[in-house]
Amino acid sequence: MPAEDRPVRNGNGTPAAAEGPARRPRRRSAETRAAREQVDEIFRQWQTERPDIDPTPVRIYGLIGQIHLQATAFIDDVLAPYGLVRGTYDVLTALRRAGAPYCLTPKVLSRHLLLSGAGLTSRLNKLEDLHLVARLPEPSDRRTVRIQLTAAGEDVINEVIPVVFAAQAARLEPLGDDGRQRLLERLNELADAIALLGSRQTGAAPAPDAD
């Protein structure tokens, strides 16, 4: 690997990017209430304010939304020593999953990440500043470029992926194997039901399975 592509390391072996964002301070207890408690409060408020409407869906969709926010927060905490956040991490993992030479066009990246062109450009600019990705000219079309992991980017994402997966697994551990499998099955059922209803309303075919 060329020396200029290797991530600069600190004395403790962590990437130099760790000098950037610091870990978030521990939030106050009022701000770290369990997602269930926050959603239950919203549910009770709707029961009081609109007793003529069944607010049960609020509990389900609200809980999913709160879990997403909390998951993003703890993943950001895990990524902070590497100078990354969830958004930039997602770009790196999309490139890494693509396989060698870890290269995709912006159009394909946007589709994988469900991002607008402007949203992707912002993330790419940050990663390029960290020397983790490079924009390369597309030989067959001068109007576009390819986005490729640098050697430094490959090193960083290979180090970060197991750390993030371990943090996610730790929060699923209390469910046990059976609980995790049941949760996955029910979430798949919900995702299928939402996709089917959406396709009926728009007249479009259901979306293909994820890559």
Side-chain angles (χ1 to χ4, degrees):
M1 180 189 303
E4 62 270 18
D5 280 342
R6 293 184 181 275
V8 178
R9 301 275 171 169
N10 297 314
N12 61 4
T14 59
E19 299 293 342
R23 283 187 176 276
R24 291 185 180 85
R26 190 174 294 276
R27 298 175 180 86
R28 296 178 181 177
S29 59
E31 297 172 338
T32 55
R33 291 180 302 167
R36 178 175 56 80
E37 294 175 348
Q38 297 180 37
V39 173
D40 284 349
E41 181 178 350
I42 295 171
F43 176 80
R44 289 191 295 269
Q45 289 172 339
W46 280 123
Q47 282 184 313
T48 300
E49 295 299 321
R50 289 299 302 270
D52 56 314
I53 299 176
D54 178 12
T56 300
V58 169
R59 275 186 158 163
I60 297 173
Y61 290 103
L63 190 57
I64 291 172
Q66 287 292 335
I67 290 171
H68 173 72
L69 292 175
Q70 292 189 355
T72 296
F74 80 70
I75 289 173
D76 280 349
D77 285 342
V78 169
L79 294 172
Y82 301 89
L84 301 173
V85 294
R86 178 67 183 269
T88 48
Y89 167 80
D90 286 345
V91 174
L92 296 179
T93 55
L95 291 168
R96 182 62 181 83
R97 292 196 315 268
Y102 313 121
C103 185
L104 294 171
T105 65
K107 182 177 181 180
V108 172
L109 264 177
S110 293
R111 178 167 59 85
H112 284 334
L113 301 175
L114 303 177
L115 281 175
S116 66
L120 178 62
T121 297
S122 175
R123 296 185 187 186
L124 291 177
N125 289 342
K126 294 174 183 176
L127 289 169
E128 201 167 32
D129 287 344
L130 292 171
H131 308 291
L132 301 181
V133 303
R135 290 177 169 97
L136 304 177
E138 176 61 64
S140 61
D141 187 351
R142 294 182 179 180
R143 296 171 298 177
T144 189
V145 296
R146 294 173 293 158
I147 310 303
Q148 185 171 29
L149 281 179
T150 62
E154 185 181 346
D155 279 356
V156 168
I157 197 59
N158 283 339
E159 183 175 335
V160 169
I161 288 172
V163 179
V164 172
F165 284 8
Q168 292 172 322
R171 288 157 175 82
L172 293 171
E173 186 65 27
L175 299 180
D177 291 341
D178 291 343
R180 289 191 292 271
Q181 184 59 38
R182 289 196 301 271
L183 176 62
L184 181 60
E185 290 171 357
R186 300 313 296 268
L187 287 174
N188 279 331
E189 291 173 8
L190 176 59
D192 289 345
I194 291 173
L196 181 60
L197 182 59
S199 65
R200 286 175 177 171
Q201 290 176 339
T202 62
D209 293 338
D211 294 336

